[in-house]
Amino acid sequence: TRVQGQLTLSTGRPVSQNELIKVFEAALRLNNGALVSDGNGGYRIIPAGEAAAGEIGHVGPLERGLGVPPGYGVTIMPLRHISSEAMIRLLDGFLARGGSARAEAVGNLLLVRGSAREREVIADVVDMFDVDWLKGQSAGIFPLAHASPDAIIQELNTVLQNEQNSLAS
């Protein structure tokens, strides 16, 4: 019995089984415990320090729309539109506040380790930044026959500035 004590949960409304496990996990976390999948559909409770030091728990890919499973574990997030190194730099502030959450880059995969809640928060941030910023945009190359590039650049700057001013008013 490495984790001992009593825990009383009281909710102001009915909660689903999935929500209850997540609430229980958060309450354990506040009391230095961690919920870890036993691999057979059940869970074990271990000291949070052991989970952070090496107890992996659930390891699996992020299933978009389904969230991450309860318990301490590793979620594998494939990145489509941003490099894993750039994503790690963006996540630095979120990981520092997340407590035991850690992220590593392997190829263009992001491996996030932590409690279910910590991994959900990171997955939400990843979804915000792993987007195709040029989707729906178009570009073209137009050879200039009767004007110099400097004159066109000046004209385009004037047009774009006027457009921004009209949008601001």
Side-chain angles (χ1 to χ4, degrees):
T1 58
R2 297 174 300 171
V3 178
Q4 295 182 359
Q6 287 185 316
L7 181 63
T8 303
L9 295 174
S10 176
T11 64
R13 62 172 178 79
V15 295
S16 69
Q17 181 179 3
N18 192 36
E19 287 176 315
L20 181 59
I21 291 173
K22 289 180 181 181
V23 168
F24 181 62
E25 182 181 14
L28 281 174
R29 185 90 179 122
L30 291 173
N31 291 287
N32 295 318
L35 193 64
V36 177
S37 173
D38 68 3
N40 297 319
Y43 297 94
R44 294 180 296 128
I45 299 171
I46 64 172
E50 287 181 26
E55 186 74 40
I56 293 179
H58 176 270
V59 177
L62 177 65
E63 298 180 33
R64 304 234 184 241
L66 297 179
V68 299
Y72 202 88
V74 175
T75 298
I76 302 163
M77 301 177 199
L79 301 173
R80 294 177 299 237
H81 306 288
I82 188 170
S83 74
S84 54
E85 293 80 17
M87 185 60 75
I88 291 283
R89 286 192 303 273
L90 287 168
L91 291 174
D92 273 345
F94 295 95
L95 294 173
R97 285 182 257 141
S100 66
R102 301 284 180 263
E104 292 189 32
V106 178
N108 216 36
L109 299 174
L110 189 68
L111 281 63
V112 179
R113 177 179 171 170
S115 69
R117 184 68 192 130
E118 290 168 332
R119 290 180 289 137
E120 281 179 347
V121 168
I122 299 300
D124 289 345
V125 173
V126 167
D127 281 344
M128 283 190 286
F129 289 106
D130 189 24
V131 295
D132 183 358
W133 294 102
L134 296 177
K135 184 177 182 179
Q137 302 294 317
S138 61
I141 298 176
F142 301 96
L144 300 176
H146 304 291
S148 72
D150 290 336
I152 296 296
I153 289 171
Q154 187 175 15
E155 186 67 28
L156 285 173
N157 282 335
T158 303
V159 169
L160 292 174
Q161 189 174 29
N162 288 339
E163 186 175 309
Q164 285 178 344
N165 289 341
S166 68
L167 290 175
S169 19

